Amino acid sequence: NAGVTQTPKFRILKIGQSMTLQCTQDMNHNYMYWYRQDPGMGLKLIYYSVGAGITDKGEVPNGYNVSRSTTEDFPLRLELAAPSQTSVYFCASSYQGYNEQFFGPGTRLTVL
Amino acid sequence: QKEVEQDPGPLSVPEGAIVSLNCTYSNSAFQYFMWYRQYSRKGPELLMYTYSSGNKEDGRFTAQVDKSSKYISLFIRDSQPSDSATYLCAMGGNNRLAFGKGNQVVVIP
């Protein structure tokens, strides 16, 4: 039981490039989330999903897109990367709603 | 007023001391209260979870919730160097989870 896994661990992008952050969970959780964490700023919700085929925006969705074709996978797409997207990105999942979320190890992204 | 307030610290204590952390919140809809521990360059991990006012103990950790005052606390007894981490409070309700900014704790041997 690996829990929540994320790839890659680190990435450096140039301004304007695109990339996809991968997230997979093996706990059969319906709910999945993407957060970004900036120093001293806590966790900000980017997008979330309540099940396969259903996604919705969080508080900071601009510049990102998501899809949820399976229960296990919840990739986050960055289009036209900007320096403001430099952050640590965490994927999380939970069984019931917004409680007891389990986090992945994070992806550290730098946009130069 | 921010939805969740958590003084970011940092907090340095000697080994064996009691660590006291707290958060306040403004949204009465929050029904679930959590504390996460985050080691450097790792993802947050759930430490304590409660959904009612009162105390909950788990080993050296005690979580306290006072819904009437909208105030939650985490106490760490007999603190160890391995407790050095950032501690984030989180509140859930109405299909939302709001996090505090995190409190960095350093336990000095």
Side-chain angles (χ1 to χ4, degrees):
Chain A
N1 191 345
V4 179
T5 57
Q6 292 182 239
T7 57
K9 287 186 170 57
F10 307 94
R11 184 74 184 267
I12 297 175
L13 282 182
K14 294 182 179 178
I15 295 172
Q17 287 185 320
S18 301
M19 76 164 295
T20 299
L21 282 66
Q22 302 292 344
C23 175
T24 300
Q25 54 93 8
D26 63 0
M27 296 175 282
N28 202 31
H29 286 168
N30 288 321
Y31 295 77
M32 295 188 74
Y33 318 86
W34 274 106
Y35 293 91
R36 59 177 289 171
Q37 186 177 41
D38 301 310
M41 297 302 292
L43 290 159
K44 301 290 186 186
L45 182 65
I46 304 171
Y47 270 95
Y48 68 98
S49 168
V50 301
I54 306 170
T55 63
D56 208 347
K57 296 178 181 178
E59 55 183 313
V60 290
N62 292 343
Y64 307 94
N65 274 302
V66 293
S67 60
R68 183 95 182 272
S69 57
T70 67
T71 299
E72 295 78 21
D73 300 306
F74 190 40
L76 177 71
R77 178 82 178 161
L78 277 73
E79 304 281 3
L80 299 174
S84 61
Q85 293 178 303
T86 293
S87 189
V88 182
Y89 291 84
F90 289 103
C91 179
S93 71
S94 67
Y95 181 64
Q96 288 181 322
Y98 279 64
N99 56 346
E100 296 188 76
Q101 293 182 20
F102 296 87
F103 285 79
T107 294
R108 193 170 295 268
L109 176 68
T110 301
V111 181
L112 300 173
Chain B
Q1 183 183 8
K2 290 184 180 175
E3 204 168 36
V4 179
E5 297 270 10
Q6 181 178 11
D7 185 353
L11 182 66
S12 292
V13 300
E15 182 176 353
I18 294 176
V19 175
S20 174
L21 306 171
N22 56 73
C23 289
T24 59
Y25 62 98
S26 59
N27 191 339
S28 298
F30 290 143
Q31 299 296 319
Y32 307 98
F33 306 93
M34 284 150 273
W35 285 95
Y36 283 83
R37 179 175 60 195
Q38 185 176 20
Y39 290 114
S40 180
R41 295 182 174 266
K42 300 287 186 184
E45 56 177 342
L46 184 68
L47 191 61
M48 298 286 282
Y49 165 73
T50 183
Y51 53 85
S52 60
S53 283
N55 292 352
K56 180 178 181 179
E57 275 194 31
D58 184 0
R60 297 184 294 109
F61 299 90
T62 299
Q64 199 172 71
V65 175
D66 183 347
K67 286 186 178 180
S68 61
S69 301
K70 296 188 177 66
Y71 187 91
I72 73 170
S73 300
L74 177 71
F75 301 97
I76 307 174
R77 291 184 299 279
D78 186 25
S79 57
Q80 304 295 309
S82 59
D83 295 326
S84 297
T86 296
Y87 292 82
L88 300 99
C89 63
M91 328 279 184
N94 280 356
N95 279 339
R96 294 185 60 243
L97 192 62
F99 285 87
K101 290 184 177 182
N103 224 158
Q104 185 182 4
V105 173
V106 177
V107 181
I108 303 166

